[in-house]
Amino acid sequence: MKACIVDDHEIVRQGLRLLLESLTDPVVEVVAEVGTAADALIAQRHHRPELFLVDYRLPDTTGDRLCRRLVAARPETAVVVVTSSAGEDVVQLCLQAGAAGYVTKGAGLCELKRAIAAVAEGGERVVFRDQPVPVIAAADGVVGRNLTQHQLRVLELVADGMTYGQIARRLHVSESTVRFHISSIKDRLGVRSKAELIVTALREALVAPEAGAEAASWVG
């Protein structure tokens, strides 16, 4: 697998190169190291890397915007965002732009290796944060009941009867991010409505029984 590293710090690029060159499954060949999005696009045309490791904060743009352009130019391109930013809004921007993975620099080398391996296998998007809680989104959108801690918190607030706007303010994220999470949770639990979501969450003990008290009037 041919790879390109995109980061404006030389020491980070060197570290990522050493990591990639140490991999045996998949075997990765670093064909380019660049510090800007503009140079990344040039490297894509000249070297046609299959994998890009991209920092979110670049001198000339953001990682999600670069990801969108890389994937638009070659849809088979896999982009893994490797950054110090763990903000939920940033994660969602990158995933919506087509990123195959998102790993914070504080997550650790093992998590980055796992993300690259998962991306190489195809069909999944993987997120690893500073305290690694893997988020795996399968191509069909249904990955079972392994909810993340963040999703469980959203589910708890839904069970408390909060609106999307109230949840967004409580968690300091956008309302669209809350809607994204709730849609993902519904897919994972195999439900369609809020009422079904609460009933399932209570039945499977995903939230405490008292958490559903506020929402009882519209669940039943």
Side-chain angles (χ1 to χ4, degrees), residues 141 144-145 147-148 150-156 158 178-191 197 201 206:
R145 294 172 169 359
L147 301 179
T148 68
H150 194 83
Q151 288 171 329
L152 287 173
R153 179 56 176 155
V154 171
L155 184 56
E156 182 182 70
V158 171
V178 173
R179 291 182 181 277
F180 178 87
H181 276 304
I182 292 176
S183 176
S184 296
I185 294 168
K186 285 179 179 178
D187 283 344
R188 294 188 179 200
L189 298 182
V191 301
L197 184 62
L206 296 174

Side-chain angles (χ1 to χ4, degrees), residues 2-218:
K2 295 191 296 184
C4 175
I5 299 167
V6 188
D7 195 294
D8 59 335
H9 294 95
E10 182 180 2
I11 191 168
V12 174
R13 295 198 302 269
Q14 290 176 348
L16 290 175
R17 171 184 278 275
L18 290 173
L19 171 69
L20 291 176
E21 290 177 343
S22 72
L23 296 178
T24 56
D25 187 17
V27 175
V28 178
E29 175 192 4
V30 178
V31 295
E33 295 179 27
V34 298
T36 66
D39 286 340
L41 293 169
I42 293 172
Q44 184 182 47
R45 292 195 296 271
H46 289 178
H47 301 287
R48 301 178 73 82
E50 301 152 278
L51 171 68
F52 280 83
L53 298 189
V54 175
D55 188 17
Y56 182 74
R57 293 185 177 89
L58 295 169
D60 50 350
T61 191
T62 55
D64 60 302
R65 292 175 180 171
L66 173 57
C67 176
R68 197 177 298 278
R69 294 189 64 181
L70 291 171
V71 174
R74 295 190 68 207
E76 67 273 24
T77 300
V79 178
V80 176
V81 178
V82 183
T83 180
S84 58
S85 177
E88 187 63 28
D89 284 352
V90 174
V91 174
Q92 298 307 326
L93 281 173
C94 292
L95 294 181
Q96 291 165 11
Y102 190 103
V103 183
T104 62
K105 291 177 180 176
L109 295 179
C110 289
E111 282 65 42
L112 180 55
K113 288 181 180 180
R114 290 170 61 190
I116 293 171
V119 168
E121 292 176 359
E124 294 181 343
R125 293 181 299 168
V126 182
V127 176
F128 286 103
R129 304 172 192 269
D130 290 11
Q131 295 181 350
V133 178
V135 181
I136 305 214
D140 61 5
V142 181
V143 297
R145 294 172 169 359
N146 57 324
L147 301 179
T148 68
Q149 292 178 358
H150 194 83
Q151 288 171 329
L152 287 173
R153 179 56 176 155
V154 171
L155 184 56
E156 182 182 70
L157 296 177
V158 171
D160 280 339
M162 286 191 176
T163 65
Y164 293 155
Q166 289 170 328
I167 295 172
R169 289 190 292 275
R170 173 69 65 86
L171 299 180
H172 306 290
V173 298
S174 67
E175 190 169 330
S176 62
T177 295
V178 173
R179 291 182 181 277
F180 178 87
H181 276 304
I182 292 176
S183 176
S184 296
I185 294 168
K186 285 179 179 178
D187 283 344
R188 294 188 179 200
L189 298 182
V191 301
R192 294 189 178 185
S193 68
K194 275 188 176 181
E196 288 181 290
L197 184 62
I198 300 301
V199 170
T200 301
L202 293 172
R203 184 177 63 242
E204 300 191 9
L206 296 174
V207 297
E210 58 270 20
E214 295 295 326
S217 60
W218 51 266

